Amino acid sequence: RAMAAAMAAGVRLRLLVVPLFVAVACGRSIPPRDVRAQRDVLLAAAPSDSQASSVQPPPTAYICVLGSVNMDVIIQVDRLPRRDETVASRGADGVKYVPGGKGANQAAAVALLSHGTGIGVRLACQFGRDVHAAALEEALVACGVDLSAAARCPFPSGQGFVFLEPDGSASSVVVPGANGAWPDVLPDSLRSLLRGARAVLLQREIPESVNEAVAAEAAAAGVAVFQDVGGEDRPMTDAQLRRITYLMPNQSELERLTGLPAATQAEAARAAAALQARGARNVVVTLGARGSMLLDVAGRLSVQTAAEVPGGVVADATAAGDAYRAAFALAVVEARPVSECLRFASAAGAIAVSRVGAVPSLPRRRECDELCARTPVAEAIPDVRGGATAVMRGGASDGSAAAAAASQPRASPAGGLRGAGDGQSDSRWANGHAGGGVPSAAVALPILDSARRARGGQAPAGGGLQCTLGFASRLNSMRDGWRAEWGLPNDVLGWVGAQGRVRGLSLVDFNYPQHLAGVDLAQVKQALQTSNLRAGAICMRYTKEHQRGGFTNPDPELRRRAIQMALDGCGVARQLGASELVVWSAYDGYDYNMQADYPVMWARVVDAFREICDAFPDIKISLEFKPTDENTRFFAVPTTGAALLLAHEVDRPNFGLTLDVGHCIMAGENPAQSAAMVGARGKLFGVQLNDGHSRLAAEDGLMFGSVHRSMALELMLWLRRTRFDGHLYFDTFPRNEDPIAEAEYNIRAARALWARAGRLEAAGVQERVLARQDALAALELLDEMERPLREELED
């Protein structure tokens, strides 16, 4: 009753509640008279019935934290024991029991730091059934954490054994207990919780399968995912990296993830870029006393100096990383400039190391803001290209630093970074914004971004209205529509030259071996360079030799030949600088019932793709499924769902899918739903755009958006929401149209629909339509935003 009254009274009483429950959680006995005195104070301060109307309701905007809840056993030692050695703790009171666990720490930190902002925190966790569980729950509620999503399981509570040395260094051993007992499938209530969150915070002290499912659900809903790498030492898949908005390792975790050194800031920046090359977007690295850095999705590097530790003494580093990550996520949700996000997080971490314990050490809002005001701006370091960068120097009162802060990009919960003057402020994050007058504590530095460079300088999709993805168009359209007035030879080099005249085209996808057999690749590279184009993908095309199947052919020699052709195609891709091999076989399937051994056929496809992926780990290998064709009435992989199952069984980070709009329509699928399913799992490597009239078994190859305009718009919306970062290929057949003009129309239409999808996001399509599954609201929003295509193109 005292707790209920205290929580109803609001955050004023949290400071009264904390001593009682921290004492309980620490295992200290409390005299009965002290318990009664605490209870009387709480009840006296609780609102009366006449005051009930003034009590504020719980925040509707919230951050969702999923993770571990532990009872930490803090053992103070002079030094860690060596192997086969026993050491004693320091003094008679050298052991303390305090609430902890990375999930609990981060949830409590968000709750304490978000006081007064209108943003709450909800923790999804697994409490055990033992004496520790009640104390853990009470300590979290005392901090203001909403535990309505928490569950209990018939296992002991998780425990963390923390060995604390005199200099504040902490080494830990975690016993998962209840933290390892999550359900195999996310319950509907948790899925709904994730979709409504402003951000989701994850760590690695719960099963990785849970983190992956949660990240997929959040990413599909457009919710930012913050992944703390701390916890179990285990690999992280490329698919998971693509789902995460902010990946947040410390130095040792960064080194384990990449196999690269990160002892210096320049080394850490290079290692972060290596993670981006695997699909990560924004990488935040904490470097202890050397500060922290953010390598953002656009390739900008921001470096933050460490804030001074209050009192000058590091007492316990146990929850410093959790305080930092919680503060950074909260600042991002509040849409602060990047510099302030890093600065606020640095202050939170510094305060946490000045106190002993996990939850008891966590900072409050006011003390973080005060420490921010005293924290100097960062000094520049050489960028990873070896050049010098501009420097921002001086103390916190430096006017130039304040000016720099005004020009800093702002962090966005969607994962991008907005320029301070781009007019895209978001009033949803305005409540409690602490910051206007706090000067910058970080400086943005340019950095060579190998991931972007590998994609030809393109940043991942999403964010603004302008589509930055690369475009390619069907090369055979130039062959079929070849015109003498072009003054070009009617061969592959001439077709490349013709595509070079298409305004907006940047890439060429080649069929292999048809386009390149017997052609000097040096001449192809020269033709691309002359036309200011690059090779995008190599697309496999098998011949009548494989009429009974390529990878599925019953003849082992022909199967071997089909696989070798794909391997040869990868070699050509590597020589031309293409990043992807797309496999579509017109013959891998069957026509009649009783004709095929389905499990054997499937196993052969899986084995073939595994071999190809393993042979060329630097090339993305994707399957382009098709449900039916004149050559094969039933394909071995006939749907998006089957293709995703294949990707799961191939189980290679460089294997994914290429979705063709026409093929999805033929399969009776909604291309947007297919893209959302595949993109949320990090497996959408390519998209082929076209349209058609949906005639039975027909593939019209019409111009994109010409028939199904709303379907095309929704597809663009979900490409944006899943942060698609491949290129767009127009697989259309201009049999009666000028192929150059037709390709230019496709590019204009795609860009216009992309921009319109961005306007839908800005107009609140998530809140107004998707979260409610309201068809009428969807149509009304489309009517509200309907504008002529030409007007959008002019914009």
Side-chain angles (χ1 to χ4, degrees):
R1 287 194 298 271
M3 175 56 63
M7 295 312 297
V11 77
R12 282 185 306 110
L13 296 179
R14 289 182 188 163
L15 298 180
L16 298 174
V17 179
V18 168
L20 170 63
F21 289 111
V22 167
V24 172
C26 290
R28 296 199 296 270
S29 61
I30 304 174
R33 63 179 180 275
D34 292 344
V35 174
R36 287 194 295 271
Q38 290 271 14
R39 181 195 62 194
D40 292 343
V41 170
L42 296 176
L43 292 176
S48 64
D49 292 341
S50 63
Q51 296 170 312
S53 61
S54 64
V55 175
Q56 296 298 313
T60 55
Y62 61 89
I63 292 172
C64 182
V65 180
L66 284 94
S68 59
V69 178
N70 295 331
M71 180 59 77
D72 284 348
V73 183
I74 300 180
I75 306 169
Q76 301 182 55
V77 294
D78 292 321
R79 62 175 176 82
L80 294 177
R82 290 186 285 269
R83 186 170 183 174
D84 297 328
E85 181 185 25
T86 299
V87 298
S89 64
R90 291 200 310 270
D93 61 346
V95 177
K96 292 183 173 66
Y97 293 82
V98 298
K102 297 186 76 65
N105 295 343
Q106 293 181 20
V110 172
L112 295 171
L113 291 170
S114 64
H115 167 46
T117 66
I119 299 171
V121 59
R122 302 185 187 182
L123 174 63
C125 63
Q126 295 288 324
F127 286 112
R129 293 191 182 276
D130 56 14
V131 67
H132 293 316
L136 289 169
E137 186 171 354
E138 289 167 348
L140 288 165
V141 171
C143 291
V145 178
D146 183 332
L147 294 177
S148 58
R152 290 190 179 276
C153 64
F155 296 100
S157 298
Q159 289 183 278
F161 294 88
V162 181
F163 301 93
L164 182 61
E165 297 180 78
D167 65 355
S169 300
S171 303
S172 305
V173 176
V174 175
V175 180
N179 296 313
W182 287 72
D184 294 332
V185 178
L186 298 183
D188 289 343
S189 59
L190 180 55
R191 292 162 62 93
S192 177
L193 182 74
L194 295 171
R195 290 193 293 267
R198 298 303 197 199
V200 172
L201 275 62
L202 299 174
Q203 317 81 37
R204 310 192 84 192
E205 290 182 345
I206 63 175
E208 189 72 357
S209 59
V210 177
N211 278 344
E212 290 178 345
V214 167
E217 185 73 27
V223 177
V225 178
F226 295 76
Q227 174 73 68
D228 181 355
V229 182
E232 289 189 29
D233 179 10
R234 56 197 178 202
M236 185 173 292
T237 66
D238 290 2
Q240 180 71 347
L241 289 177
R242 295 188 188 99
R243 300 177 187 120
I244 296 165
T245 318
Y246 291 91
L247 184 69
M248 308 184 76
N250 64 20
Q251 177 188 329
S252 62
E253 292 156 358
L254 179 63
E255 291 174 339
R256 290 200 302 269
L257 277 179
T258 63
L260 299 173
T264 67
Q265 288 176 324
E267 287 177 345
R270 293 190 186 99
L275 288 173
Q276 288 187 329
R278 291 178 52 197
R281 283 140 61 181
N282 304 288
V283 182
V284 179
V285 184
T286 52
L287 300 168
R290 290 181 291 116
S292 57
M293 62 175 59
L294 163 64
L295 180 60
D296 73 24
V297 70
R300 292 175 296 231
L301 180 66
S302 298
V303 180
Q304 171 66 51
T305 55
E308 64 180 29
V309 176
V313 177
V314 175
D316 181 3
T318 302
D322 296 325
Y324 180 103
R325 286 154 178 78
F328 182 86
L330 177 62
V332 170
V333 167
E334 292 175 349
R336 297 188 182 201
V338 170
S339 60
E340 291 187 21
C341 295
L342 292 168
R343 183 184 177 102
F344 188 63
S346 180
I351 293 167
V353 303
S354 71
R355 303 192 279 244
V356 175
V359 170
S361 75
L362 296 173
R364 273 63 173 172
R365 180 84 175 205
R366 181 176 179 180
E367 56 186 341
C368 268
D369 290 340
E370 290 174 350
L371 183 53
C372 277
R374 302 195 305 270
T375 302
V377 297
E379 293 191 13
I381 61 169
D383 70 21
V384 296
R385 293 171 295 188
T389 55
V391 185
M392 283 170 44
R393 299 182 183 273
S397 60
D398 189 339
S400 63
S407 64
Q408 280 277 321
R410 290 183 178 270
S412 164
L417 295 171
R418 299 197 298 262
D422 66 1
Q424 294 189 42
S425 60
D426 191 336
S427 60
R428 290 179 299 171
W429 315 119
N431 291 337
H433 188 292
V438 181
S440 172
V443 56
L445 304 174
I447 188 171
L448 180 63
D449 185 342
S450 58
R452 300 291 88 75
R453 181 180 60 179
R455 285 191 283 262
Q458 301 296 337
L465 299 183
Q466 182 178 0
C467 182
T468 60
L469 298 175
F471 292 103
S473 190
R474 183 169 169 268
L475 195 59
N476 283 347
S477 296
M478 303 299 152
R479 178 199 65 187
D480 298 340
W482 179 82
R483 304 189 177 195
E485 58 265 29
W486 289 347
L488 297 169
N490 190 8
D491 59 19
V492 67
L493 302 180
W495 307 334
V496 170
Q499 290 209 326
R501 300 179 183 183
V502 177
R503 287 172 293 183
L505 205 70
S506 56
L507 300 164
V508 177
D509 286 6
F510 293 96
N511 290 349
Y512 183 81
Q514 282 84 348
H515 290 155
L516 300 173
V519 178
D520 185 347
L521 294 184
Q523 292 183 339
V524 176
K525 294 172 71 173
Q526 182 59 49
L528 289 168
Q529 183 177 355
T530 301
S531 301
N532 197 28
L533 297 170
R534 293 177 294 108
I538 300 299
C539 305
M540 295 303 302
R541 293 295 183 268
Y542 290 93
T543 64
K544 288 288 185 179
E545 177 187 35
H546 291 96
Q547 181 71 51
R548 296 177 64 194
F551 297 167
T552 63
N553 200 295
D555 185 334
E557 183 177 340
L558 287 174
R559 278 202 312 276
R560 181 72 255 159
R561 197 175 302 171
I563 293 171
Q564 187 58 50
M565 284 177 63
L567 294 171
D568 293 343
C570 287
V572 170
R574 184 180 283 171
Q575 291 183 66
L576 292 180
S579 61
E580 184 178 358
L581 182 87
V582 181
V583 177
W584 173 69
S585 171
Y587 307 110
D588 274 315
Y590 60 96
D591 297 320
Y592 291 92
N593 293 328
M594 308 295 292
Q595 179 182 345
D597 187 330
Y598 309 119
V600 170
M601 180 182 292
W602 183 267
R604 288 170 177 168
V605 174
V606 170
D607 290 344
F609 276 117
R610 285 178 176 172
E611 179 180 345
I612 298 164
C613 289
D614 291 344
F616 288 86
D618 58 317
I619 301 293
K620 294 189 294 183
I621 313 298
S622 69
L623 169 74
E624 177 191 349
F625 91 84
K626 188 176 183 180
T628 187
D629 185 83
E630 60 189 27
N631 296 295
T632 305
R633 305 314 296 169
F634 291 92
F635 276 87
V637 186
T639 65
T640 296
L644 275 174
L645 177 60
L646 179 70
H648 177 75
E649 294 196 16
V650 171
D651 192 25
R652 296 297 186 268
N654 59 326
F655 180 76
L657 306 178
T658 290
L659 293 181
D660 182 294
V661 170
H663 295 178
C664 290
I665 293 174
M666 291 172 66
E669 298 179 359
N670 175 4
Q673 182 182 13
S674 300
M677 292 168 56
V678 180
R681 288 155 180 81
K683 288 298 182 181
L684 187 57
F685 286 4
V687 176
Q688 300 189 354
L689 302 178
N690 47 47
D691 211 334
H693 290 292
S694 306
R695 309 286 290 180
L696 183 62
E699 184 180 9
D700 297 332
L702 302 183
M703 284 175 267
F704 180 55
S706 59
V707 179
H708 299 94
R709 177 55 61 93
S710 61
M711 183 183 290
L713 174 61
E714 189 187 22
L715 172 62
M716 289 305 203
L717 175 65
W718 281 98
L719 292 182
R720 292 174 61 95
R721 299 196 72 186
T722 56
R723 309 293 291 180
F724 173 68
D725 63 355
H727 69 269
L728 300 174
Y729 172 81
F730 298 107
D731 191 12
T732 55
F733 313 132
R735 294 184 175 89
N736 301 305
E737 295 78 30
D738 182 312
I740 293 178
E742 189 256 8
E744 290 179 345
Y745 175 85
N746 280 325
I747 293 171
R748 293 197 307 272
R751 285 175 170 168
L753 288 165
W754 183 274
R756 187 171 292 183
R759 293 192 181 99
L760 284 173
E761 290 178 317
V765 66
Q766 172 63 35
E767 296 81 3
R768 295 173 58 181
V769 179
L770 302 181
R772 298 161 52 196
Q773 297 186 21
D774 190 330
L776 186 58
L779 295 174
E780 289 173 344
L781 180 58
L782 289 174
D783 289 344
E784 173 186 320
M785 299 190 61
E786 186 65 33
R787 299 171 63 192
L789 179 60
R790 185 178 304 278
E791 186 176 345
E792 290 198 11
L793 294 174
E794 291 172 355
D795 288 346

